Amino acid sequence: MASYDLTQRIAPNLDRHLVFPILEFLQERQLYSDEQILKSKIELLNKTNMVDYAMDIHKSLYHTDDVPQDMVERRAEVVARLKALEEAAAPLVSFLQNPSAVQELRPDKHYNLQMLNDRYQIGPNQIEALYQYAKFQFECGNYSAAADYLYQYRALCTNSERRLSALWGKLAAEILMQNWDIAHEELNQLKEKVDDSKNFLSPLSQMQSRIWLMHWNLFIFFNHDNGRMQIIDLFNQDKYLNAIQTNAPHLLRYLATAFIVNKRRRPQFKDFIKVIQQEQYSYKDPITEFLACVYVNYDFDGAQKKMRECEEVILNDPFLGKRLEEGNFSTVPLRDEFLENARLCIFETYCRIHQRIDMGRVLAEKLNLNYEEAERWIVNLIRSSKLDAKIDTKTGTVIIEPSHPNVYEQLIDHTKALSGRTYKLVSQLMEHVQTQAAR
Amino acid sequence: MSSRFWTQGGSDSEEEESDYEDEVETGGAEAANETAGSRYLKGMASDSDDSDGQKRVVRSAKDKRFEEMIATVDQMKNAMKINDWVSLQESFDKINKQLEKVMRVTESVKVPSLYIKALVMLEDFLNQALSNKEAKKKMSSSNAKALNSMKQKLKKNNKQYEDLINKCRENPESEEEKDEDEETEEDEDEESEFEEDIVEGSDADEEEEEEEADDVNDKGWEKKLSKKDKLIDKQFKNPGEITWETVNKKFKEVVAARGRKGTGRFEQVEQLTFLTKVAKTPAQKLEILFSVISAQFDVNPGLSGHMPINVWKKCVQNMLIVLDILTQYHNIAVNDIIEPDENETQKPADYNGTIRVWGNLVAFVEKIDTEFFKSLQSIDPHTREYVERLRDEPMLSVLAQDVQDYLERVGEFKAAAKVALRRVELIYYKPQEVYDAMRKLVDQVGDGDEKAGEEESRGPSAFIVVPEVVPRKPTFPENSRTMMDILVSLIYKYGDERTKARAMLCDIYHHALLDEFSTARDLLLMSHLQDNVQQMDVLSQILFNRAMAQLGLCAFRVGLVAEAHSCLSELYSGGRVKELLAQGVSQSRYHEKTPEQERLERRRQMPYHMHINLELLEAVHLICAMLLEVPNMAANIHDAKRKVISKTFRRLLEVSERQTFTGPPENVRDHVMAATRALTKGDFQKAFDVINSLDVWKLLRNRESVLEMLKAQIKEEALRTYLFTYSLSYDSISLDQLTKMFDLSEAQTHSIVSKMMINEELHASWDQPTQCIVFHEIEHSRLQTLAFQLVEKLSILAESNERAIEARIGGGGLDLRRRDNQDYAAAAGKWQDNSTYTLGRQGTTRSGYAGSGRTLALGQPGGYTRDRSGQLRGASGYSGGQRNSAARGSQMDSSARMVSLNKGVR
């Protein structure tokens, strides 16, 4: 199943720290050998300041208590640097930790800077130090502190480029702390910045930022309550869809899943099917193939097969396969939802082109249900008037009423508007004539 | 009487001449050199005259006039001797009158050289008289007056014949000799004087003769070379005495003669080549080499002809030597911006600091490439010569490669990108097989080259010997794609707009050639080339058309019929494919082209080996049109005119239906028409057989699979057509039966039919337990259909009324309009909904078919805009059909454009 694993394609677009949750997940699913994962973890940590953690992993990987010399050295180095940065940022940090002092800050940034400079001798250097300190904290894995400092820094900083990095840093910190609501707000702020082309030198870097943004958002969307709607809103925007198509087609998986789970997005759905069809050459996995089977090729047996593969894919995807622990057993809520909706997709399309369906063999099979369940399922559909059909129990079939609108009704519909338009036209004309005459 | 004059005059004039020369020779070394040169020229001229002599014809009527003229000239000479300006003036008037007569008699445009000579003589004498102030004072008043008026007259008169006079001055002796040949030449026009140049003319008919002539020339050349070598050697007899100054002086002299009438172009090349051997410093050698190359370019005058092939080869060799020097001596920089000071090249090789030499490597490479292209254009492609010429391509590519390497090393990436483009243009049209063949050829040619090199090295050894530093053999990567990628990414990085656009088109073409349709399409769409191709130059537009054609072929090969059709339909809409692809001149029935236009068009023709097979292209286009149009027509029997996918196809079909008898198919069109007839009836086997019998298929590389694909497509469309046509006659039909009828698998049939149902093309549904299609009786009656059409027309009428009122009311109506906007839009929206609905009911929409129906119609208007030159049309056509499959193309913001460029790099 590792063939559908997207970690390799996703990871380059994430922050180093954000890759950890994914690796954790992979370790849990045991898609790769433990050793491989631990090694990559160490590699990942090597460039961060979380040396202690790296040491732990090293120990468990090689089952020794010895730690390589360079790690020890690095640790000392990190600690020293932390001290230095702490000192540099100390004045500002102590100022910010003093609630009464903080109250003196006003929304006016210039005033604040002036005030800090005059009364506390805090100049640009100290502010810059705050940023460095926050970054260092983040590197050390102290996300909450980093998030706090970055928040404060943003209020004081004047460099727009720095502000942008601070935003990214804050977002990452919030994601890592799993504060989804705050992260979501940060996300919206960041999105505004990213969509503003003034912030970018070249369209290319703007697109790259969009791709980053989308990747980071995956964390939020699949954890936030309302995330699945928002993922469609964001990803399906032209600019973002373009970015996906050009450089990150693997994100189509998440968009496809979101579409299947959200039935209400019909109009956009049709366009999305076209995109899937068009991108087939550059990316496909069971989920997109499922959509292609149902909505492009009308190959229901194929869809059936793909649906089963989809289940696997979802379970092994770090974002889609999120588990909920309920008592003793864990469920993957998205999987159930997906399967239910996918089934509905198949059935809906199937009904549109059939007038009589054998319930016992075919339908139950198609829906992955037994006869009783299938019957109940269909009765429910009919009762909720989603389906204009009748069950023929004698032959064990569902009979679907073909619906064809009356020709006369159609004609009337078409012509109704015409008279209204004509009247309007005449009145417009009259009005015009009158104004002319008045002159 | 006159004969006496003749002889007398003749001897007189000779004396005169020699006197004159003596005088001049005393003038100084400078002049001496000139005469040395002209003496050599005389040899040349007499050579050509000899051949003229053979066709001498004497015409007595003209003789008479000439004799009169000669007599007058003699009178003038006599008058000069006694310094009698009055009679001189009279004679001058007389000779002018005589000239008119002579011209009338001989009916030529050329002024007899006798006359010119007389003018020269007069002028010289006049100048002499004017400079001699003392003599002037002594003159009688009438004489002085005559002198002055003569001065003015002569000045005015001579202006008309300035060129001729100059030429006459440069080689007076040849003119002298020509005097006698005058009669024979008089009705030939001026060009005959440049016999040696004309030999190289490029009329395709004379090609073979030319080749011989070239050979002859070659031999002649060597002989003369030795003669001339001696001549120059006299000056440079003692190698030890040669200094930078002497070489420089001589060089300046030779260069100054460039472009003057009567300067033999070949000689100049030879002289300069000699100078390269005696050059004292590498920089000087370089400078002279540049001049040699320029002179070699000059060998062929005019735009239409191409450079003689042997000269071309030498030119390439020279360029390679230039590169050798440049690689050897790093301190020499070539630049065409700064004018270096006079003695820059005097600096020795070990000079500390950069030596600037004027020159432009890129321009030279481009010129050489252009000449190569031109020669291929004008050589008959069916001869051996063409093949021989094609073999020279590696030479060109090695040169381009070396220059590019050099430029990259020096850091001039912009220039390197230009050269890279030339290299791209050499390989982009080559499929892998041809590319491999070329690589093999390179290996073979390598051996041959060495021999050539040995020959070159004969003769006196040069002062500055440059070892062959740069490789003489091009290196090609295994795969043509890799090569393209390397070059193209360089260009995308550093090239200017045009270079990038052209490289992109070549890239697209090459991708299409390798059957990578999606990549090629993405490149095309993301670069937005089809939007601004109208603003590009004609050559780029041709390249664009070629890329489109290739893209269409590629789409067909991979089985994307609709895409293939939308690529190709624009090319065929005007019936001027040949012209659009620059693969032949097409005759237009409606307007004649001016010769100027025709010449222009001929100049941009593609050489034969780059052609895209037109028959294959036509076959693909028509087959695609057939596959789309036949079911479409079957679906819209009531209203066939409404939705036309391919106008061209419809027209052809009409023509073929009008025929009383249909014979067996002969050309591509007939075949497709025969297939169409079969397909309309749903007879897929016959349709396929007919198409299969076309010979063009053997041009395809993966013929089997393409035909397989084609068969599957035909089956599918046959099934669809059958259902459209005969669904009325069925109440139900079993899947089994359909599967058997069309030889399709059950799954396929099911999928095709389901698709039609979903798209509401077919009003039916499956009866699952019995595996049958049950047709619904909702087919509209004729009345109902007409009613729908009426409704539609009504709404169009209403809309046009609204528009008319809007236009009438104009600005005043704006506010009204704004107020009503909402309703109006709503109404319009509703109407649109309805109309599509109608279409759906009638089973006409084919949105299922890649949804291209609607977008195609939208794309149409774009196709009708003509570009400036009126040559290329519909470059934008592709956008139409493709928009659906590439919704992103149209929506892409500029960011994506840049991206695309980098995507290509990958």
Side-chain angles (χ1 to χ4, degrees):
Chain A
M1 272 325 282
S3 56
Y4 294 121
D5 183 40
L6 292 180
T7 314
Q8 279 186 344
R9 301 177 72 165
I10 289 177
N13 294 304
L14 292 176
D15 189 89
R16 228 157 238 290
H17 295 257
L18 290 174
V19 183
F20 270 108
I22 296 179
L23 285 182
E24 296 282 350
F25 180 86
L26 289 180
Q27 196 171 11
E28 201 178 302
R29 293 294 304 172
Q30 301 192 320
L31 283 180
Y32 303 98
S33 70
D34 258 7
E35 196 182 335
Q36 237 178 322
I37 288 185
L38 287 176
K39 266 187 189 158
S40 50
K41 268 189 182 175
I42 290 189
E43 217 163 282
L44 205 62
L45 288 167
N46 269 344
K47 296 241 173 70
T48 71
N49 295 332
M50 293 149 81
V51 191
D52 287 340
Y53 189 30
M55 284 175 180
D56 288 346
I57 294 171
H58 185 87
K59 281 177 200 159
S60 70
L61 177 59
Y62 299 106
H63 306 290
T64 56
D65 283 341
D66 300 330
V67 175
Q69 191 56 37
D70 54 338
M71 276 195 187
V72 178
E73 278 166 18
R74 176 136 173 79
R75 187 171 192 285
E77 191 185 311
V78 165
V79 171
R81 181 142 170 71
L82 183 64
K83 282 263 155 49
L85 282 171
E86 204 171 353
E87 255 165 53
L92 191 53
V93 170
S94 63
F95 164 78
L96 291 170
Q97 274 162 356
N98 179 357
S100 59
V102 172
Q103 267 172 3
E104 286 176 46
L105 291 176
R106 294 193 199 162
D108 184 4
K109 193 181 278 178
H110 284 290
Y111 168 81
N112 286 344
L113 289 178
Q114 193 67 37
M115 192 263 299
L116 282 177
N117 207 0
D118 294 348
R119 290 176 50 190
Y120 298 91
Q121 284 79 48
I122 296 174
N125 286 339
Q126 276 77 16
I127 296 176
E128 173 65 22
L130 182 69
Y131 173 79
Q132 297 295 351
Y133 184 54
K135 189 164 178 229
F136 203 80
Q137 288 283 6
F138 181 80
E139 293 284 317
C140 292
N142 191 356
Y143 304 125
S144 67
D148 282 349
Y149 293 140
L150 283 175
Y151 179 74
Q152 308 281 13
Y153 172 74
R154 245 165 49 208
L156 296 171
C157 126
T158 46
N159 182 343
S160 68
E161 211 171 297
R162 270 289 152 76
R163 271 173 73 85
L164 200 60
S165 340
L167 265 175
W168 283 107
K170 180 92 176 7
L171 177 60
E174 297 296 348
I175 289 174
L176 287 164
M177 285 189 298
Q178 310 204 338
N179 291 335
W180 304 123
D181 285 326
I182 303 174
H184 191 251
E185 278 165 31
E186 295 293 331
L187 166 73
N188 286 336
Q189 277 193 32
L190 195 57
K191 181 171 174 292
E192 266 169 41
K193 288 261 191 273
V194 167
D195 283 341
D196 183 2
S197 53
K198 268 184 287 179
N199 289 334
F200 295 95
L201 285 177
S202 74
L204 182 62
S205 64
Q206 186 175 22
M207 193 198 66
Q208 191 56 51
S209 302
R210 287 207 177 110
I211 288 175
W212 284 339
L213 193 69
M214 282 189 280
H215 277 96
W216 292 32
N217 284 350
L218 290 177
F219 288 98
I220 303 172
F221 287 149
F222 287 102
N223 288 304
H224 196 263
D225 297 334
N226 210 8
R228 286 177 219 150
M229 293 289 279
Q230 283 155 351
I231 192 176
I232 298 179
D233 287 341
L234 181 76
F235 283 24
N236 213 32
Q237 282 175 23
D238 280 343
K239 286 171 185 168
Y240 286 84
L241 203 57
N242 281 334
I244 292 180
Q245 284 180 308
T246 30
N247 255 3
H250 51 273
L251 289 177
L252 284 176
R253 171 192 288 184
Y254 301 103
L255 190 52
T257 316
F259 263 119
I260 293 173
V261 176
N262 282 305
K263 281 162 295 187
R264 273 172 292 168
R265 297 312 187 95
R266 281 296 150 193
Q268 293 153 326
F269 190 53
K270 264 197 175 163
D271 293 333
F272 179 66
I273 295 292
K274 277 181 196 157
V275 173
I276 291 231
Q277 202 179 344
Q278 188 191 327
E279 291 301 317
Q280 258 171 347
Y281 70 92
S282 64
Y283 176 77
K284 58 180 168 191
D285 70 11
I287 297 179
T288 61
E289 278 172 328
F290 169 77
L291 284 178
C293 276
V294 179
Y295 292 102
V296 179
N297 301 324
Y298 304 101
D299 172 10
F300 298 101
D301 294 329
Q304 208 62 37
K305 252 179 252 157
K306 290 292 165 202
M307 207 162 97
R308 256 165 288 186
E309 286 176 34
C310 286
E311 199 178 337
E312 282 291 309
V313 171
I314 289 177
L315 285 178
N316 286 323
D317 189 285
F319 300 106
L320 301 176
K322 198 189 65 161
R323 282 160 186 283
L324 271 189
E325 306 289 335
E326 277 176 36
N328 285 338
F329 57 156
S330 66
T331 53
V332 179
L334 199 76
R335 175 187 62 179
D336 305 338
E337 217 172 319
F338 179 86
L339 290 183
E340 173 72 18
N341 279 302
R343 212 174 279 152
L344 205 62
C345 283
I346 297 181
F347 184 67
E348 240 174 58
T349 321
Y350 199 71
C351 284
R352 271 177 75 190
I353 54 167
H354 282 78
Q355 69 164 12
R356 208 148 63 96
I357 305 167
D358 187 335
M359 212 159 46
R361 282 181 298 120
V362 183
L363 200 56
E365 197 181 294
K366 289 248 185 298
L367 297 173
N368 278 348
L369 297 171
N370 62 29
Y371 185 86
E372 295 292 317
E373 275 178 330
E375 192 171 358
R376 196 173 306 131
W377 197 69
I378 287 185
V379 169
N380 275 335
L381 278 183
I382 295 172
R383 272 166 54 92
S384 60
S385 65
K386 273 183 186 160
L387 185 67
D388 189 9
K390 296 262 180 323
I391 295 175
D392 184 346
T393 345
K394 194 173 150 198
T395 50
T397 53
V398 184
I399 296 168
I400 295 142
E401 302 289 328
S403 62
H404 296 295
N406 192 315
V407 180
Y408 302 104
E409 275 173 26
Q410 283 178 46
L411 281 177
I412 291 166
D413 277 352
H414 290 198
T415 40
K416 221 190 251 165
L418 282 181
S419 63
R421 278 164 78 183
T422 318
Y423 275 119
K424 198 163 282 165
L425 210 64
V426 171
S427 64
Q428 245 179 53
L429 198 61
M430 294 307 287
E431 223 172 288
H432 181 65
V433 169
Q434 271 164 14
T435 50
Q436 289 278 326
R439 271 178 218 166
Chain B
M1 185 63 180
S2 57
S3 73
R4 200 182 60 100
F5 264 123
W6 169 274
T7 44
Q8 207 181 352
S11 59
D12 271 352
S13 75
E14 262 168 32
E15 275 172 34
E16 187 75 19
E17 201 63 51
S18 56
D19 282 352
Y20 168 68
E21 272 194 8
D22 283 345
E23 265 177 38
V24 172
E25 252 164 290
T26 52
E30 185 93 27
N33 280 335
E34 213 163 78
T35 26
S38 61
R39 211 170 264 151
Y40 172 65
L41 286 176
K42 167 184 154 194
M44 259 312 267
S46 66
D47 266 6
S48 67
D49 282 345
D50 282 349
S51 63
D52 281 347
Q54 290 168 356
K55 37 181 180 172
R56 172 192 292 207
V57 186
V58 180
R59 283 166 224 156
S60 57
K62 294 171 190 172
D63 277 359
K64 224 174 166 184
R65 299 281 170 213
F66 269 101
E67 273 163 25
E68 277 174 16
M69 214 165 168
I70 291 163
T72 321
V73 172
D74 287 342
Q75 280 174 13
M76 284 166 76
K77 279 177 186 157
N78 287 335
M80 275 183 209
K81 274 183 192 157
I82 54 168
N83 212 359
D84 180 2
W85 284 98
V86 184
S87 63
L88 203 56
Q89 198 179 351
E90 275 166 18
S91 305
F92 182 67
D93 291 345
K94 199 162 139 200
I95 202 168
N96 274 347
K97 269 178 210 152
Q98 280 169 344
L99 174 72
E100 275 171 37
K101 277 184 200 162
V102 169
M103 298 286 272
R104 218 170 26 237
V105 170
T106 57
E107 294 166 334
S108 77
V109 283
K110 187 186 166 276
V111 183
S113 60
L114 179 70
Y115 175 74
I116 299 297
K117 231 178 79 62
L119 287 182
V120 172
M121 194 171 75
L122 259 177
E123 206 177 48
D124 288 340
F125 185 63
L126 187 76
N127 288 338
Q128 205 182 321
L130 284 175
S131 60
N132 193 350
K133 293 224 167 115
E134 280 181 33
K136 211 170 150 189
K137 274 179 199 160
K138 280 179 203 161
M139 266 184 217
S140 67
S141 65
S142 64
N143 213 3
K145 208 171 162 190
L147 170 67
N148 276 335
S149 70
M150 192 63 205
K151 190 175 92 187
Q152 272 149 22
K153 262 189 203 166
L154 199 62
K155 207 170 161 192
K156 209 163 133 196
N157 193 48
N158 281 10
K159 232 174 215 162
Q160 298 173 41
Y161 309 107
E162 218 169 351
D163 305 353
L164 290 170
I165 290 172
N166 279 340
K167 205 166 61 205
C168 176
R169 276 179 190 287
E170 267 157 41
N171 45 359
E173 311 207 1
S174 79
E175 292 297 328
E176 170 90 345
E177 279 187 11
K178 270 188 191 167
D179 278 359
E180 285 159 33
D181 294 47
E182 205 58 64
E183 297 95 311
T184 63
E185 278 190 4
E186 62 208 3
D187 50 354
E188 290 175 20
D189 49 8
E190 229 178 296
E191 284 172 38
S192 65
E193 285 200 9
F194 312 114
E195 200 80 22
E196 69 269 28
D197 301 332
I198 295 296
V199 173
E200 307 304 332
S202 69
D203 266 357
D205 308 349
E206 293 175 10
E207 214 57 64
E208 303 234 344
E209 278 177 53
E210 255 177 53
E211 182 65 5
E212 281 165 31
D214 271 351
D215 288 348
V216 170
N217 249 13
D218 267 358
K219 279 170 203 161
W221 257 29
E222 277 173 34
K223 269 183 223 155
K224 275 177 237 150
L225 180 74
S226 52
K227 219 195 290 171
K228 200 202 58 154
D229 272 350
K230 269 181 220 152
L231 238 154
I232 298 186
D233 275 344
K234 258 182 226 163
Q235 284 189 317
F236 298 103
K237 224 182 293 170
N238 194 345
E241 284 171 13
I242 300 173
T243 59
W244 181 84
E245 278 84 10
T246 51
V247 176
N248 194 40
K249 201 164 146 198
K250 182 73 192 158
F251 168 61
K252 290 269 150 62
E253 226 166 74
V254 177
V255 169
R258 178 184 173 190
R260 280 208 209 134
K261 292 271 170 174
T263 317
R265 296 189 172 90
F266 282 107
E267 290 84 68
Q268 207 179 15
V269 171
E270 288 309 319
Q271 286 171 333
L272 287 167
T273 315
F274 177 81
L275 281 177
T276 58
K277 287 185 183 142
V278 295
K280 285 304 256 188
T281 64
Q284 187 178 38
K285 183 162 181 168
L286 196 66
E287 194 181 13
I288 298 172
L289 267 173
F290 279 139
S291 298
V292 173
I293 294 162
S294 306
Q296 278 167 333
F297 287 144
D298 278 353
V299 162
N300 173 50
L303 278 166
S304 46
H306 64 87
M307 209 161 144
I309 289 163
N310 46 9
V311 179
W312 185 87
K313 282 183 182 162
K314 280 190 187 135
C315 193
V316 173
Q317 293 302 335
N318 284 333
M319 275 304 279
L320 287 173
I321 298 171
V322 164
L323 284 171
D324 282 337
I325 297 174
L326 286 174
T327 357
Q328 183 85 353
Y329 306 101
H330 286 291
N331 52 356
I332 301 179
V334 175
N335 207 324
D336 64 342
I337 307 162
I338 312 153
E339 195 71 38
D341 45 321
E342 194 73 356
N343 296 331
E344 187 88 8
T345 56
Q346 194 172 6
K347 295 165 183 166
D350 48 2
Y351 175 75
N352 215 353
T354 47
I355 307 173
R356 285 198 189 76
V357 180
W358 188 90
N360 188 344
L361 289 175
V362 180
F364 282 145
V365 173
E366 284 183 339
K367 178 84 178 159
I368 288 176
D369 181 39
T370 316
E371 289 296 340
F372 181 68
F373 191 81
K374 268 203 238 164
S375 67
L376 285 171
Q377 272 178 332
S378 48
I379 298 173
D380 179 4
H382 303 291
T383 54
R384 213 179 140 55
E385 199 194 342
Y386 192 80
V387 183
E388 288 295 325
R389 186 65 181 138
L390 270 181
R391 278 166 180 266
D392 294 337
E393 200 185 276
M395 260 169 99
L396 183 55
S397 39
V398 72
L399 173 66
Q401 190 182 334
D402 291 340
V403 171
Q404 193 193 329
D405 286 348
Y406 171 75
L407 290 171
E408 277 176 43
R409 206 165 47 236
V410 177
E412 289 181 40
F413 288 104
K414 244 193 155 132
K418 272 190 191 154
V419 180
L421 177 67
R422 293 289 168 159
R423 291 179 69 197
V424 165
E425 282 178 20
L426 281 181
I427 56 164
Y428 77 95
Y429 58 89
K430 291 190 173 88
Q432 186 64 39
E433 290 84 356
V434 180
Y435 182 79
D436 287 339
M438 189 179 66
R439 286 179 55 213
K440 250 179 237 155
L441 173 73
V442 169
D443 293 339
Q444 291 164 6
V445 167
D447 307 333
D449 261 358
E450 277 162 35
K451 275 177 219 155
E454 280 164 32
E455 275 170 42
E456 284 286 309
S457 60
R458 272 187 321 173
S461 61
F463 288 115
I464 303 293
V465 184
V466 186
E468 294 191 354
V469 191
V470 287
R472 290 299 196 261
K473 250 197 233 179
T475 47
F476 289 114
E478 193 83 356
N479 197 328
S480 57
R481 190 62 243 168
T482 354
M483 175 143 178
M484 281 293 279
D485 282 340
I486 297 168
L487 292 174
V488 159
S489 52
L490 177 86
I491 296 172
Y492 291 158
K493 217 164 172 185
Y494 302 106
D496 56 23
E497 274 307 307
R498 180 174 184 269
T499 316
K500 267 197 257 188
R502 279 189 78 89
M504 178 66 82
L505 286 171
C506 293
D507 202 15
I508 291 167
Y509 189 103
H510 194 255
H511 273 297
L513 209 59
L514 299 179
D515 281 356
E516 292 164 11
F517 177 73
S518 46
T519 328
R521 183 199 57 196
D522 285 357
L523 280 177
L524 180 75
L525 290 174
M526 290 194 283
S527 57
H528 285 261
L529 277 171
Q530 76 264 44
D531 299 341
N532 35 30
V533 71
Q534 305 278 355
Q535 278 87 50
M536 290 203 258
D537 55 326
V538 180
L539 287 178
S540 301
Q541 286 179 342
I542 289 170
L543 187 58
F544 178 83
N545 289 343
R546 281 167 59 75
M548 285 308 291
Q550 196 56 250
L551 199 60
L553 289 179
C554 167
F556 179 75
R557 285 194 298 261
V558 295
L560 301 166
V561 174
E563 279 82 354
H565 180 256
S566 54
C567 289
L568 298 179
S569 62
E570 278 296 330
L571 274 180
Y572 278 90
S573 62
R576 296 188 301 168
V577 202
K578 276 188 188 170
E579 198 178 323
L580 291 179
L581 294 175
Q583 295 187 174
V585 188
S586 59
Q587 255 82 44
S588 167
R589 249 177 302 168
Y590 304 109
H591 67 100
E592 283 289 305
K593 281 181 206 126
T594 62
E596 180 62 21
Q597 275 176 331
E598 219 158 284
R599 215 171 314 128
L600 274 176
E601 198 175 326
R602 198 152 287 143
R603 211 175 295 154
R604 44 179 183 250
Q605 291 300 305
M606 284 289 146
Y608 184 72
H609 66 288
M610 291 168 78
H611 281 196
I612 297 170
N613 187 291
L614 287 176
E615 255 185 29
L616 179 65
L617 200 63
E618 189 181 12
V620 167
H621 169 243
L622 287 178
I623 289 169
C624 289
M626 173 185 85
L627 289 174
L628 296 175
E629 193 68 89
V630 168
N632 179 35
M633 286 194 306
N636 306 322
I637 338 161
H638 284 313
D639 190 12
K641 283 271 148 62
R642 197 161 75 189
K643 246 192 101 229
V644 177
I645 294 175
S646 167
K647 277 207 178 112
T648 329
F649 182 79
R650 285 278 176 109
R651 207 166 47 235
L652 287 178
L653 195 61
E654 261 169 42
V655 171
S656 90
E657 269 167 1
R658 243 184 275 140
Q659 283 173 344
T660 328
F661 302 107
T662 40
E666 280 169 7
N667 54 14
V668 173
R669 256 177 229 186
D670 292 350
H671 275 85
V672 177
M673 288 305 131
T676 307
R677 279 192 290 276
L679 195 59
T680 333
K681 295 189 197 97
D683 186 350
F684 76 91
Q685 191 59 48
K686 194 177 165 207
F688 178 71
D689 287 345
V690 172
I691 285 184
N692 195 18
S693 65
L694 282 172
D695 339 317
V696 287
W697 300 125
K698 65 173 180 274
L699 295 171
L700 288 177
R701 206 177 329 145
N702 39 3
R703 179 181 163 191
E704 292 304 313
S705 62
V706 169
L707 285 176
E708 201 62 35
M709 178 282 297
L710 192 57
K711 192 167 187 180
Q713 293 278 2
I714 288 177
K715 276 184 200 168
E716 186 183 329
E717 298 308 330
L719 169 62
R720 284 162 52 81
T721 314
Y722 184 83
L723 285 177
F724 280 133
T725 319
Y726 298 107
S727 64
L728 282 178
S729 329
Y730 285 102
D731 191 33
S732 68
I733 187 169
S734 77
L735 178 64
D736 226 25
Q737 196 184 348
L738 279 181
T739 335
K740 271 183 206 139
M741 271 171 82
F742 292 97
D743 191 27
L744 286 160
S745 76
E746 256 182 46
Q748 274 174 308
T749 320
H750 191 276
S751 166
I752 294 168
V753 177
S754 302
K755 216 180 272 179
M756 290 172 75
M757 288 174 182
I758 292 270
N759 294 328
E760 297 184 325
E761 291 171 327
L762 190 66
H763 305 291
S765 45
W766 290 103
D767 187 64
Q768 193 267 326
T770 51
Q771 289 285 307
C772 277
I773 306 168
V774 180
F775 294 95
H776 303 305
E777 272 307 323
I778 53 127
E779 206 51 53
H780 292 158
S781 68
R782 177 117 181 100
L783 178 66
Q784 284 166 340
T785 319
L786 288 175
F788 275 117
Q789 280 175 26
L790 183 65
V791 167
E792 204 166 303
K793 276 176 185 150
L794 273 178
S795 38
I796 291 169
L797 182 71
E799 195 174 318
S800 62
N801 273 341
E802 277 165 7
R803 243 183 254 139
I805 289 216
E806 194 185 329
R808 278 297 283 178
I809 297 178
L814 263 180
D815 48 344
L816 289 174
R817 182 83 170 72
R818 207 173 298 131
R819 202 196 315 143
D820 294 327
N821 220 359
Q822 211 64 29
D823 301 41
Y824 179 77
K830 192 165 190 186
W831 174 73
Q832 248 165 14
D833 278 354
N834 292 341
S835 79
T836 48
Y837 189 55
T838 339
L839 291 172
R841 285 290 108 184
Q842 289 178 324
T844 53
T845 26
R846 300 199 37 199
S847 52
Y849 212 86
S852 66
R854 190 173 55 88
T855 42
L856 206 124
L858 282 175
Q860 218 70 340
Y864 286 100
T865 49
R866 279 163 189 257
D867 65 340
R868 284 159 304 173
S869 62
Q871 293 289 337
L872 296 164
R873 180 181 162 173
S876 71
Y878 189 58
S879 57
Q882 274 299 312
R883 200 162 298 160
N884 89 76
S885 61
R888 73 163 136 173
S890 50
Q891 293 157 356
M892 186 105 343
D893 53 1
S894 60
S895 71
R897 178 175 185 180
M898 294 307 297
V899 171
S900 68
L901 294 179
N902 282 305
K903 201 179 178 188
V905 174
R906 236 183 315 208

